[in-house]
Amino acid sequence: MPATARILLLDQTPAVDGLMEKISAMGYTAIAGSSGDSPASAVAGHRPDLVVIDNSGKNGSGFELTKTLKKNLQTSIVPVIFVCSGDSSDEQTRAFEAGADHVIKLPMSDAGLLSRVRSSVRLHNMHAELMRRRDAMERFTIDVPPESLDTVDLTDARVMLIGRAIDPRLADGLGEIVSVDHATDPREGLGRLSDRPYDAAVVFAGPGEADEMLAFCADMRNNVSLFNLPLVLILSEDGAAEADAAYNAWVSDVLIEPVNAPELKQRVLAWVRQHRYRRQLFQWKVSATHTFNLDGLTGLYSHGFMRDYLNSLIEDCEITGKRFSVGFFEIRHMMEINHENGYSAGDHLLRQIGQTIGRLVRAEDLPARYRGKEFCVILPETPLLTARKVIDRIAGIVHSTDFLVMGCAKVLKPDLAFGAAEYEPGEKARDLLDRAQSAAS
């Protein structure tokens, strides 16, 4: 059975009894551990996707433990949820200053806890995939940016806040780290997001507004140019049950009220850094002196680069037991298109479809030209059911698009065969790719 995300609860005290059970009930693998004399080594040995630090009964040692983990190269990228021992705002401030990603006080609603665990795990997985992509580019002798996301330049970072329920306290907090624009009308916000580049959007859904703002998020994701823009949704407690629907609408991160300013600052800052780092990797990729990492026609990753990346992912999954999937696309009747319209027109269509697929994949996915009229997408940390949703969505948009092709008097509406396959332990890359190709129908 494929492994789920691993949540490590360090030095558990009676104050957080029941937290392990809650985390397990959410579908994660909960692990009890001790920080011991060497906290970083103890944490690294468990290979967690998230660490929960219980500060109750520690006389403040939770702060030092958090600092130690965040300063260590092996554990610095692992997100930390810090459990406060009381209501003190000073304790929360110190926890964030120590490097905590979320600070919570128990008891907390199950929905509130799940949203924080889920968002932390997703950010960790995305960071891991960015580093895997960076390492693969480095193996292809491409100059790459530094490993640390802390080096990302945020000088002109800009975030759009949308909704009638925008909290001035949270807006002021974000204004301390990035430029902030406001739009109380979602339609106005969508227009402004399309008019100029932003690094993230934060949508506020007040009481009774969950359905309306979810519809807005879906509209935003239907805009190809905004599909990978980090999108954080803040739900009021009465809308907490809609968190799953939000993720299904491709929202990046969901937080359940109450949310404090330092917590939102940490989340938005993490998303902005990842967004900019991903964009920086892309710029380094296309400006590389050696372009054998790219497919010359479509600008997607090349077959060779994809195979190198896939082998690296398989090696990691053999150690961790985690899952991933591969999606596959094939343009049907390509020979007829070439004969009827010419091979230049066929190449132009291939380029447009490849670029469309590249814009529609999630931030953590890797799209590549497989060969000829075929494309594939590697989807890390993705079970087959979710992979099919991603691939179906991309195929649906391609099918509904009228492609204007050079030298062709009429628009072309290509027919795609598409499908996906999930990695099976011990499987070779070649066999997995063959299964994904066979699934395309």
Side-chain angles (χ1 to χ4, degrees):
M1 181 179 178
T4 58
R6 297 162 61 86
I7 316 297
L8 176 61
L9 180 56
L10 283 178
D11 304 332
Q12 184 177 3
T13 67
V16 295
D17 281 347
L19 192 57
M20 293 279 288
E21 291 77 10
K22 281 191 174 186
I23 290 173
S24 296
M26 293 170 181
Y28 297 102
T29 301
I31 308 165
S34 172
S35 57
D37 296 328
S38 180
S41 297
V43 169
H46 288 287
R47 298 176 65 93
D49 298 282
L50 170 65
V51 173
V52 179
I53 294 177
D54 171 22
N55 195 50
S56 57
K58 283 191 172 65
N59 297 318
S61 63
F63 303 116
E64 292 305 315
L65 178 55
T66 302
K67 288 179 183 177
T68 298
L69 297 181
K70 290 299 183 179
K71 288 179 180 178
N72 185 279
L73 185 61
Q74 285 184 296
T75 58
S76 60
I77 69 168
V78 181
V80 170
I81 291 182
F82 190 97
V83 182
C84 283
S85 58
D87 290 319
S88 168
S89 59
D90 178 63
E91 184 180 15
Q92 296 179 18
T93 300
R94 289 181 62 195
F96 281 119
E97 290 175 347
D101 298 271
H102 284 291
V103 179
I104 65 174
K105 180 184 180 299
L106 299 179
M108 170 175 274
S109 70
D110 289 355
L113 177 62
L114 176 59
S115 74
R116 286 157 175 83
V117 169
R118 193 171 184 174
S119 65
S120 296
V121 168
R122 176 162 159 72
L123 270 171
H124 178 252
N125 291 339
M126 289 185 63
H127 183 278
E129 291 312 315
L130 281 175
M131 293 303 106
R132 188 191 314 282
R133 199 167 304 184
R134 178 195 178 278
D135 291 345
M137 290 171 65
E138 198 167 40
R139 288 194 294 273
F140 273 64
T141 67
I142 302 169
D143 291 330
V144 289
E147 288 187 63
S148 174
L149 268 64
D150 292 337
T151 63
V152 173
D153 183 15
L154 300 176
T155 303
D156 58 346
R158 184 171 293 274
V159 174
M160 172 68 76
L161 309 185
I162 299 170
R164 293 179 293 276
I166 293 174
D167 185 332
R169 174 181 52 90
L170 299 181
D172 290 345
L174 285 178
E176 296 173 4
I177 57 169
V178 295
S179 296
V180 174
D181 292 336
H182 305 73
T184 55
D185 182 352
R187 290 171 298 179
E188 176 194 352
L190 188 60
R192 291 170 66 181
L193 286 171
S194 302
D195 288 342
R196 63 167 299 171
Y198 282 86
D199 294 281
V202 182
V203 175
F204 293 76
E209 295 181 343
D211 289 344
E212 176 189 357
M213 302 315 285
L214 277 175
F216 164 76
C217 292
D219 287 344
M220 179 176 160
R221 287 311 194 209
N222 284 332
N223 183 322
V224 174
S225 65
L226 300 176
F227 183 70
N228 275 312
L229 182 73
L231 173 57
V232 179
L233 174 63
I234 300 178
L235 291 169
S236 62
E237 287 189 89
D238 76 326
E242 301 301 326
D244 281 345
Y247 283 114
N248 288 335
W250 311 111
V251 169
S252 310
D253 204 345
V254 179
L255 292 175
I256 310 297
E257 291 282 14
V259 177
N260 58 46
E263 179 180 33
L264 184 60
K265 285 166 63 176
Q266 289 283 82
R267 306 317 290 160
V268 170
L269 190 60
W271 283 108
V272 169
R273 280 177 171 155
Q274 288 209 6
H275 181 65
R276 290 202 158 199
Y277 192 88
R278 179 175 180 263
R279 193 164 60 197
Q280 195 174 357
L281 280 179
F282 177 80
Q283 291 167 348
W284 285 61
K285 176 188 75 169
V286 298
S287 63
T289 304
H290 305 291
T291 57
F292 40 75
N293 66 305
L294 292 179
D295 172 63
L297 181 64
T298 64
L300 299 179
Y301 287 99
S302 67
H303 183 102
F305 185 93
M306 177 274 293
R307 290 293 290 267
D308 183 271
Y309 178 90
L310 180 57
N311 287 330
S312 171
L313 183 58
I314 287 174
E315 287 177 9
D316 278 0
C317 288
E318 284 298 307
I319 297 171
T320 63
K322 290 185 178 178
R323 62 178 69 183
F324 73 93
S325 297
V326 174
F328 204 89
F329 302 93
E330 178 181 356
I331 306 175
R332 289 188 174 118
H333 313 303
M334 196 67 207
M335 184 178 296
E336 289 87 342
I337 292 173
N338 285 331
H339 287 167
E340 183 178 342
N341 303 285
Y343 283 88
S344 294
D347 282 351
H348 192 200
L349 178 64
L350 279 169
R351 180 184 298 115
Q352 290 189 67
I353 292 176
Q355 291 173 345
T356 300
I357 292 172
R359 289 195 297 267
L360 289 172
V361 296
R362 304 170 306 173
E364 61 265 45
D365 301 332
L366 187 135
R369 174 98 175 272
Y370 189 70
R371 64 187 171 208
K373 58 183 180 178
E374 298 166 330
F375 305 89
C376 71
V377 178
I378 300 175
L379 303 103
E381 298 273 350
T382 306
L384 182 58
L385 183 61
T386 303
R388 283 174 174 160
K389 291 179 181 178
V390 175
I391 300 305
D392 287 356
R393 178 185 182 276
I394 294 173
I397 291 177
V398 172
H399 283 150
S400 64
T401 300
D402 293 333
F403 289 93
L404 294 172
V405 174
M406 177 179 58
C408 185
K410 62 180 181 180
V411 298
L412 297 181
K413 296 184 73 69
D415 183 19
L416 285 187
F418 57 96
E422 184 175 334
Y423 172 70
E424 296 178 353
E427 190 171 25
K428 302 296 185 184
R430 172 73 264 169
D431 296 332
L432 173 60
L433 289 167
D434 284 346
R435 287 199 301 112
Q437 185 176 18
S438 297
S441 59

